[in-house]
Amino acid sequence: MKDNRKFVLILGIHQSGTSLLESLVVNHPDVAGLFESLTEDTFKLMGKEFCINKLTTRQIRPKLRANILFFTINRVVNFCAKFTGKLDYKVLPVSRLSVKDYVDRGAKLIIIGRHPTDIINSLIERRHYSREFATKHWKRMNKILNEIISNFEHLYVHFDDLVLDTEYQLRRICEYIGLEYKPIMLEGYRKNFMYPNDKIVKEKAYSYE
């Protein structure tokens, strides 16, 4: 029997809006979602036509997969980071699948971007990074993201556009992945367990100005 499931990977630098975007899309009744699964679980989901995972450039690389050696190196780096204040710094991927692996299995790629100043400020506020480290971290993550953008077909969504005109951006996404838009998707933010809120905070758009 033919497998009619469709796969989607949402990607971005962390603190760029990946959690919000996924929460909106997976509120569709035909979508099943995973939150930052580092394994092949996206391709094992059952019961829904659309299967979605979201990851950040901190976790996945364009063509490089995680392995035991990489996990060991990351643990050593994070252990040392505790004494420097540079927490959550992963020098190597932790996802067992690369972006190429997802694409080769037929997954469509959605990339969300956000203004560097907003990402850096969010890293400082929520991750308690120093400004210097947050800036360096953004530069490294942005380099990875640009490599992905340059090498893989994708749909690009900007965070500011998503919060200011949510319906239009969701309709763009639905058209791209072949999903029928449903208004209930607009309420997905209520199920964003990472950053719960009773509304989409439009004031976050263009806050760097």
mmCIF file of all heavy atoms in Angstrom, residues 168-202:
data_model
loop_
_atom_site.group_PDB
_atom_site.id
_atom_site.type_symbol
_atom_site.label_atom_id
_atom_site.label_comp_id
_atom_site.label_asym_id
_atom_site.label_seq_id
_atom_site.Cartn_x
_atom_site.Cartn_y
_atom_site.Cartn_z
ATOM 1 N N TYR A 168 -2.081 35.107 6.505
ATOM 2 C CA TYR A 168 -1.464 35.096 5.175
ATOM 3 C C TYR A 168 -0.251 34.173 5.133
ATOM 4 O O TYR A 168 -0.077 33.402 4.173
ATOM 5 C CB TYR A 168 -1.056 36.511 4.768
ATOM 6 C CG TYR A 168 -0.323 36.552 3.445
ATOM 7 C CD1 TYR A 168 -1.002 36.357 2.243
ATOM 8 C CD2 TYR A 168 1.061 36.747 3.410
ATOM 9 C CE1 TYR A 168 -0.327 36.371 1.025
ATOM 10 C CE2 TYR A 168 1.740 36.762 2.192
ATOM 11 C CZ TYR A 168 1.046 36.576 1.021
ATOM 12 O OH TYR A 168 1.728 36.581 -0.186
ATOM 13 N N GLN A 169 0.578 34.230 6.163
ATOM 14 C CA GLN A 169 1.773 33.386 6.187
ATOM 15 C C GLN A 169 1.401 31.904 6.307
ATOM 16 O O GLN A 169 2.038 31.044 5.687
ATOM 17 C CB GLN A 169 2.701 33.803 7.336
ATOM 18 C CG GLN A 169 3.275 35.198 7.198
ATOM 19 C CD GLN A 169 4.026 35.406 5.887
ATOM 20 O OE1 GLN A 169 4.743 34.512 5.425
ATOM 21 N NE2 GLN A 169 3.874 36.576 5.287
ATOM 22 N N LEU A 170 0.370 31.617 7.081
ATOM 23 C CA LEU A 170 -0.074 30.230 7.192
ATOM 24 C C LEU A 170 -0.650 29.727 5.868
ATOM 25 O O LEU A 170 -0.462 28.562 5.499
ATOM 26 C CB LEU A 170 -1.099 30.083 8.313
ATOM 27 C CG LEU A 170 -0.556 30.194 9.736
ATOM 28 C CD1 LEU A 170 -1.696 30.141 10.751
ATOM 29 C CD2 LEU A 170 0.465 29.097 10.029
ATOM 30 N N ARG A 171 -1.327 30.582 5.166
ATOM 31 C CA ARG A 171 -1.846 30.194 3.844
ATOM 32 C C ARG A 171 -0.692 29.919 2.885
ATOM 33 O O ARG A 171 -0.771 28.996 2.057
ATOM 34 C CB ARG A 171 -2.769 31.283 3.298
ATOM 35 C CG ARG A 171 -4.126 31.337 3.993
ATOM 36 C CD ARG A 171 -5.040 32.356 3.351
ATOM 37 N NE ARG A 171 -6.341 32.411 4.001
ATOM 38 C CZ ARG A 171 -7.366 31.586 3.735
ATOM 39 N NH1 ARG A 171 -7.223 30.644 2.809
ATOM 40 N NH2 ARG A 171 -8.522 31.709 4.375
ATOM 41 N N ARG A 172 0.364 30.717 2.942
ATOM 42 C CA ARG A 172 1.561 30.469 2.122
ATOM 43 C C ARG A 172 2.147 29.097 2.435
ATOM 44 O O ARG A 172 2.504 28.329 1.539
ATOM 45 C CB ARG A 172 2.640 31.521 2.402
ATOM 46 C CG ARG A 172 2.408 32.884 1.819
ATOM 47 C CD ARG A 172 3.596 33.776 2.134
ATOM 48 N NE ARG A 172 4.815 33.294 1.470
ATOM 49 C CZ ARG A 172 6.014 33.211 2.056
ATOM 50 N NH1 ARG A 172 6.171 33.565 3.318
ATOM 51 N NH2 ARG A 172 7.056 32.776 1.379
ATOM 52 N N ILE A 173 2.249 28.806 3.720
ATOM 53 C CA ILE A 173 2.816 27.530 4.155
ATOM 54 C C ILE A 173 1.947 26.374 3.685
ATOM 55 O O ILE A 173 2.457 25.366 3.167
ATOM 56 C CB ILE A 173 2.971 27.518 5.691
ATOM 57 C CG1 ILE A 173 4.075 28.492 6.110
ATOM 58 C CG2 ILE A 173 3.268 26.114 6.197
ATOM 59 C CD1 ILE A 173 4.118 28.780 7.587
ATOM 60 N N CYS A 174 0.639 26.508 3.858
ATOM 61 C CA CYS A 174 -0.279 25.446 3.441
ATOM 62 C C CYS A 174 -0.171 25.181 1.942
ATOM 63 O O CYS A 174 -0.154 24.023 1.495
ATOM 64 C CB CYS A 174 -1.715 25.810 3.811
ATOM 65 S SG CYS A 174 -2.062 25.690 5.588
ATOM 66 N N GLU A 175 -0.092 26.229 1.170
ATOM 67 C CA GLU A 175 0.041 26.068 -0.280
ATOM 68 C C GLU A 175 1.343 25.357 -0.623
ATOM 69 O O GLU A 175 1.381 24.500 -1.510
ATOM 70 C CB GLU A 175 -0.008 27.429 -0.961
ATOM 71 C CG GLU A 175 0.086 27.353 -2.479
ATOM 72 C CD GLU A 175 0.003 28.703 -3.148
ATOM 73 O OE1 GLU A 175 -0.103 29.724 -2.433
ATOM 74 O OE2 GLU A 175 0.047 28.755 -4.403
ATOM 75 N N TYR A 176 2.400 25.694 0.083
ATOM 76 C CA TYR A 176 3.717 25.115 -0.192
ATOM 77 C C TYR A 176 3.764 23.619 0.120
ATOM 78 O O TYR A 176 4.340 22.835 -0.640
ATOM 79 C CB TYR A 176 4.771 25.863 0.624
ATOM 80 C CG TYR A 176 6.176 25.319 0.464
ATOM 81 C CD1 TYR A 176 6.848 25.415 -0.751
ATOM 82 C CD2 TYR A 176 6.834 24.718 1.535
ATOM 83 C CE1 TYR A 176 8.134 24.923 -0.901
ATOM 84 C CE2 TYR A 176 8.117 24.226 1.400
ATOM 85 C CZ TYR A 176 8.767 24.330 0.182
ATOM 86 O OH TYR A 176 10.043 23.839 0.044
ATOM 87 N N ILE A 177 3.149 23.219 1.220
ATOM 88 C CA ILE A 177 3.237 21.803 1.610
ATOM 89 C C ILE A 177 2.047 20.984 1.123
ATOM 90 O O ILE A 177 2.015 19.762 1.309
ATOM 91 C CB ILE A 177 3.409 21.643 3.131
ATOM 92 C CG1 ILE A 177 2.170 22.139 3.881
ATOM 93 C CG2 ILE A 177 4.668 22.374 3.603
ATOM 94 C CD1 ILE A 177 2.260 21.947 5.406
ATOM 95 N N GLY A 178 1.048 21.644 0.525
ATOM 96 C CA GLY A 178 -0.107 20.918 0.007
ATOM 97 C C GLY A 178 -1.161 20.611 1.042
ATOM 98 O O GLY A 178 -1.882 19.615 0.943
ATOM 99 N N LEU A 179 -1.299 21.492 2.018
ATOM 100 C CA LEU A 179 -2.254 21.315 3.106
ATOM 101 C C LEU A 179 -3.382 22.334 2.960
ATOM 102 O O LEU A 179 -3.144 23.496 2.642
ATOM 103 C CB LEU A 179 -1.537 21.528 4.449
ATOM 104 C CG LEU A 179 -2.369 21.480 5.730
ATOM 105 C CD1 LEU A 179 -2.920 20.069 5.961
ATOM 106 C CD2 LEU A 179 -1.510 21.915 6.919
ATOM 107 N N GLU A 180 -4.614 21.906 3.191
ATOM 108 C CA GLU A 180 -5.743 22.823 3.132
ATOM 109 C C GLU A 180 -5.745 23.713 4.369
ATOM 110 O O GLU A 180 -5.752 23.226 5.502
ATOM 111 C CB GLU A 180 -7.070 22.052 3.054
ATOM 112 C CG GLU A 180 -8.291 22.959 2.982
ATOM 113 C CD GLU A 180 -9.597 22.190 3.001
ATOM 114 O OE1 GLU A 180 -9.552 20.944 3.022
ATOM 115 O OE2 GLU A 180 -10.663 22.848 3.001
ATOM 116 N N TYR A 181 -5.742 25.009 4.174
ATOM 117 C CA TYR A 181 -5.733 25.944 5.302
ATOM 118 C C TYR A 181 -7.024 25.834 6.108
ATOM 119 O O TYR A 181 -8.110 25.712 5.554
ATOM 120 C CB TYR A 181 -5.570 27.378 4.805
ATOM 121 C CG TYR A 181 -5.798 28.408 5.896
ATOM 122 C CD1 TYR A 181 -4.800 28.671 6.834
ATOM 123 C CD2 TYR A 181 -7.019 29.074 6.003
ATOM 124 C CE1 TYR A 181 -5.014 29.596 7.853
ATOM 125 C CE2 TYR A 181 -7.237 30.001 7.012
ATOM 126 C CZ TYR A 181 -6.236 30.260 7.933
ATOM 127 O OH TYR A 181 -6.452 31.161 8.946
ATOM 128 N N LYS A 182 -6.884 25.882 7.443
ATOM 129 C CA LYS A 182 -8.043 25.904 8.327
ATOM 130 C C LYS A 182 -7.843 27.003 9.377
ATOM 131 O O LYS A 182 -6.755 27.119 9.964
ATOM 132 C CB LYS A 182 -8.253 24.551 9.011
ATOM 133 C CG LYS A 182 -8.704 23.453 8.045
ATOM 134 C CD LYS A 182 -9.057 22.183 8.762
ATOM 135 C CE LYS A 182 -9.522 21.095 7.791
ATOM 136 N NZ LYS A 182 -10.780 21.462 7.109
ATOM 137 N N PRO A 183 -8.874 27.799 9.641
ATOM 138 C CA PRO A 183 -8.752 28.912 10.587
ATOM 139 C C PRO A 183 -8.298 28.503 11.975
ATOM 140 O O PRO A 183 -7.694 29.315 12.698
ATOM 141 C CB PRO A 183 -10.175 29.490 10.624
ATOM 142 C CG PRO A 183 -10.763 29.131 9.300
ATOM 143 C CD PRO A 183 -10.185 27.791 8.967
ATOM 144 N N ILE A 184 -8.542 27.247 12.358
ATOM 145 C CA ILE A 184 -8.148 26.806 13.702
ATOM 146 C C ILE A 184 -6.634 26.878 13.894
ATOM 147 O O ILE A 184 -6.145 26.936 15.026
ATOM 148 C CB ILE A 184 -8.660 25.370 13.977
ATOM 149 C CG1 ILE A 184 -8.600 25.079 15.476
ATOM 150 C CG2 ILE A 184 -7.876 24.349 13.155
ATOM 151 C CD1 ILE A 184 -9.253 23.777 15.859
ATOM 152 N N MET A 185 -5.899 26.916 12.804
ATOM 153 C CA MET A 185 -4.445 27.024 12.906
ATOM 154 C C MET A 185 -4.042 28.317 13.611
ATOM 155 O O MET A 185 -3.000 28.376 14.281
ATOM 156 C CB MET A 185 -3.817 26.964 11.515
ATOM 157 C CG MET A 185 -4.071 25.669 10.764
ATOM 158 S SD MET A 185 -3.530 25.736 9.034
ATOM 159 C CE MET A 185 -1.753 25.695 9.236
ATOM 160 N N LEU A 186 -4.854 29.347 13.484
ATOM 161 C CA LEU A 186 -4.556 30.641 14.091
ATOM 162 C C LEU A 186 -4.530 30.580 15.612
ATOM 163 O O LEU A 186 -3.983 31.472 16.266
ATOM 164 C CB LEU A 186 -5.578 31.690 13.640
ATOM 165 C CG LEU A 186 -5.551 32.058 12.147
ATOM 166 C CD1 LEU A 186 -6.781 32.880 11.794
ATOM 167 C CD2 LEU A 186 -4.280 32.816 11.821
ATOM 168 N N GLU A 187 -5.111 29.542 16.184
ATOM 169 C CA GLU A 187 -5.164 29.402 17.646
ATOM 170 C C GLU A 187 -4.061 28.501 18.182
ATOM 171 O O GLU A 187 -4.025 28.211 19.377
ATOM 172 C CB GLU A 187 -6.533 28.869 18.064
ATOM 173 C CG GLU A 187 -7.693 29.756 17.637
ATOM 174 C CD GLU A 187 -9.042 29.173 18.010
ATOM 175 O OE1 GLU A 187 -9.065 28.218 18.809
ATOM 176 O OE2 GLU A 187 -10.066 29.660 17.499
ATOM 177 N N GLY A 188 -3.165 28.080 17.315
ATOM 178 C CA GLY A 188 -2.127 27.153 17.740
ATOM 179 C C GLY A 188 -1.196 27.694 18.806
ATOM 180 O O GLY A 188 -0.640 26.927 19.603
ATOM 181 N N TYR A 189 -1.044 29.013 18.860
ATOM 182 C CA TYR A 189 -0.148 29.606 19.853
ATOM 183 C C TYR A 189 -0.556 29.232 21.279
ATOM 184 O O TYR A 189 0.272 29.227 22.194
ATOM 185 C CB TYR A 189 -0.132 31.132 19.702
ATOM 186 C CG TYR A 189 -1.462 31.784 19.960
ATOM 187 C CD1 TYR A 189 -1.847 32.155 21.249
ATOM 188 C CD2 TYR A 189 -2.359 32.021 18.926
ATOM 189 C CE1 TYR A 189 -3.079 32.726 21.497
ATOM 190 C CE2 TYR A 189 -3.589 32.607 19.154
ATOM 191 C CZ TYR A 189 -3.947 32.955 20.439
ATOM 192 O OH TYR A 189 -5.178 33.515 20.683
ATOM 193 N N ARG A 190 -1.835 28.924 21.485
ATOM 194 C CA ARG A 190 -2.308 28.546 22.819
ATOM 195 C C ARG A 190 -1.671 27.237 23.288
ATOM 196 O O ARG A 190 -1.625 26.963 24.491
ATOM 197 C CB ARG A 190 -3.829 28.388 22.816
ATOM 198 C CG ARG A 190 -4.595 29.643 22.436
ATOM 199 C CD ARG A 190 -6.086 29.399 22.448
ATOM 200 N NE ARG A 190 -6.846 30.526 21.932
ATOM 201 C CZ ARG A 190 -7.188 31.588 22.653
ATOM 202 N NH1 ARG A 190 -6.877 31.642 23.929
ATOM 203 N NH2 ARG A 190 -7.872 32.582 22.094
ATOM 204 N N LYS A 191 -1.166 26.444 22.347
ATOM 205 C CA LYS A 191 -0.576 25.146 22.688
ATOM 206 C C LYS A 191 0.942 25.163 22.579
ATOM 207 O O LYS A 191 1.585 24.119 22.554
ATOM 208 C CB LYS A 191 -1.165 24.059 21.778
ATOM 209 C CG LYS A 191 -2.676 23.936 21.928
ATOM 210 C CD LYS A 191 -3.262 22.926 20.955
ATOM 211 C CE LYS A 191 -4.783 22.881 21.070
ATOM 212 N NZ LYS A 191 -5.390 21.945 20.088
ATOM 213 N N ASN A 192 1.501 26.350 22.500
ATOM 214 C CA ASN A 192 2.958 26.492 22.459
ATOM 215 C C ASN A 192 3.492 26.341 23.878
ATOM 216 O O ASN A 192 3.632 27.311 24.619
ATOM 217 C CB ASN A 192 3.332 27.864 21.875
ATOM 218 C CG ASN A 192 4.834 28.052 21.747
ATOM 219 O OD1 ASN A 192 5.620 27.181 22.113
ATOM 220 N ND2 ASN A 192 5.230 29.208 21.241
ATOM 221 N N PHE A 193 3.776 25.108 24.276
ATOM 222 C CA PHE A 193 4.134 24.847 25.666
ATOM 223 C C PHE A 193 5.474 25.464 26.057
ATOM 224 O O PHE A 193 5.748 25.700 27.229
ATOM 225 C CB PHE A 193 4.159 23.341 25.944
ATOM 226 C CG PHE A 193 5.277 22.598 25.255
ATOM 227 C CD1 PHE A 193 6.495 22.427 25.880
ATOM 228 C CD2 PHE A 193 5.103 22.075 23.985
ATOM 229 C CE1 PHE A 193 7.531 21.748 25.245
ATOM 230 C CE2 PHE A 193 6.126 21.398 23.347
ATOM 231 C CZ PHE A 193 7.343 21.234 23.981
ATOM 232 N N MET A 194 6.316 25.750 25.078
ATOM 233 C CA MET A 194 7.605 26.366 25.388
ATOM 234 C C MET A 194 7.434 27.813 25.831
ATOM 235 O O MET A 194 8.057 28.262 26.792
ATOM 236 C CB MET A 194 8.521 26.303 24.161
ATOM 237 C CG MET A 194 9.164 24.961 23.943
ATOM 238 S SD MET A 194 10.317 24.511 25.265
ATOM 239 C CE MET A 194 11.615 25.717 25.004
ATOM 240 N N TYR A 195 6.575 28.548 25.135
ATOM 241 C CA TYR A 195 6.366 29.962 25.435
ATOM 242 C C TYR A 195 4.869 30.248 25.412
ATOM 243 O O TYR A 195 4.362 30.888 24.484
ATOM 244 C CB TYR A 195 7.106 30.841 24.417
ATOM 245 C CG TYR A 195 8.564 30.477 24.274
ATOM 246 C CD1 TYR A 195 9.028 29.859 23.114
ATOM 247 C CD2 TYR A 195 9.471 30.729 25.295
ATOM 248 C CE1 TYR A 195 10.366 29.515 22.976
ATOM 249 C CE2 TYR A 195 10.813 30.388 25.169
ATOM 250 C CZ TYR A 195 11.253 29.786 24.012
ATOM 251 O OH TYR A 195 12.568 29.435 23.879
ATOM 252 N N PRO A 196 4.135 29.764 26.427
ATOM 253 C CA PRO A 196 2.679 29.910 26.437
ATOM 254 C C PRO A 196 2.260 31.380 26.512
ATOM 255 O O PRO A 196 2.895 32.193 27.190
ATOM 256 C CB PRO A 196 2.257 29.144 27.696
ATOM 257 C CG PRO A 196 3.479 29.120 28.564
ATOM 258 C CD PRO A 196 4.641 29.070 27.627
ATOM 259 N N ASN A 197 1.202 31.706 25.795
ATOM 260 C CA ASN A 197 0.689 33.071 25.795
ATOM 261 C C ASN A 197 -0.777 33.030 25.403
ATOM 262 O O ASN A 197 -1.234 32.055 24.811
ATOM 263 C CB ASN A 197 1.473 33.947 24.812
ATOM 264 C CG ASN A 197 1.575 35.383 25.286
ATOM 265 O OD1 ASN A 197 0.623 35.926 25.827
ATOM 266 N ND2 ASN A 197 2.738 35.990 25.086
ATOM 267 N N ASP A 198 -1.510 34.079 25.749
ATOM 268 C CA ASP A 198 -2.927 34.119 25.395
ATOM 269 C C ASP A 198 -3.171 34.867 24.101
ATOM 270 O O ASP A 198 -4.319 35.138 23.724
ATOM 271 C CB ASP A 198 -3.747 34.750 26.533
ATOM 272 C CG ASP A 198 -3.292 36.161 26.878
ATOM 273 O OD1 ASP A 198 -2.326 36.636 26.237
ATOM 274 O OD2 ASP A 198 -3.898 36.774 27.769
ATOM 275 N N LYS A 199 -2.085 35.215 23.405
ATOM 276 C CA LYS A 199 -2.208 35.875 22.112
ATOM 277 C C LYS A 199 -0.859 35.838 21.409
ATOM 278 O O LYS A 199 0.174 35.521 22.020
ATOM 279 C CB LYS A 199 -2.659 37.324 22.270
ATOM 280 C CG LYS A 199 -1.646 38.189 23.004
ATOM 281 C CD LYS A 199 -2.107 39.641 23.067
ATOM 282 C CE LYS A 199 -1.056 40.510 23.767
ATOM 283 N NZ LYS A 199 -1.461 41.935 23.799
ATOM 284 N N ILE A 200 -0.871 36.150 20.121
ATOM 285 C CA ILE A 200 0.374 36.360 19.399
ATOM 286 C C ILE A 200 0.792 37.809 19.646
ATOM 287 O O ILE A 200 0.039 38.738 19.367
ATOM 288 C CB ILE A 200 0.202 36.089 17.891
ATOM 289 C CG1 ILE A 200 -0.090 34.607 17.665
ATOM 290 C CG2 ILE A 200 1.443 36.504 17.116
ATOM 291 C CD1 ILE A 200 -0.349 34.241 16.213
ATOM 292 N N VAL A 201 1.966 37.985 20.184
ATOM 293 C CA VAL A 201 2.414 39.316 20.595
ATOM 294 C C VAL A 201 2.967 40.064 19.384
ATOM 295 O O VAL A 201 4.135 39.919 19.013
ATOM 296 C CB VAL A 201 3.482 39.224 21.708
ATOM 297 C CG1 VAL A 201 3.853 40.628 22.195
ATOM 298 C CG2 VAL A 201 2.977 38.375 22.863
ATOM 299 N N LYS A 202 2.111 40.866 18.782
ATOM 300 C CA LYS A 202 2.504 41.588 17.570
ATOM 301 C C LYS A 202 3.571 42.651 17.848
ATOM 302 O O LYS A 202 4.301 43.060 16.941
ATOM 303 C CB LYS A 202 1.271 42.229 16.924
ATOM 304 C CG LYS A 202 0.233 41.208 16.458
ATOM 305 C CD LYS A 202 -0.925 41.893 15.756
ATOM 306 C CE LYS A 202 -1.986 40.882 15.326
ATOM 307 N NZ LYS A 202 -1.476 39.919 14.348
#
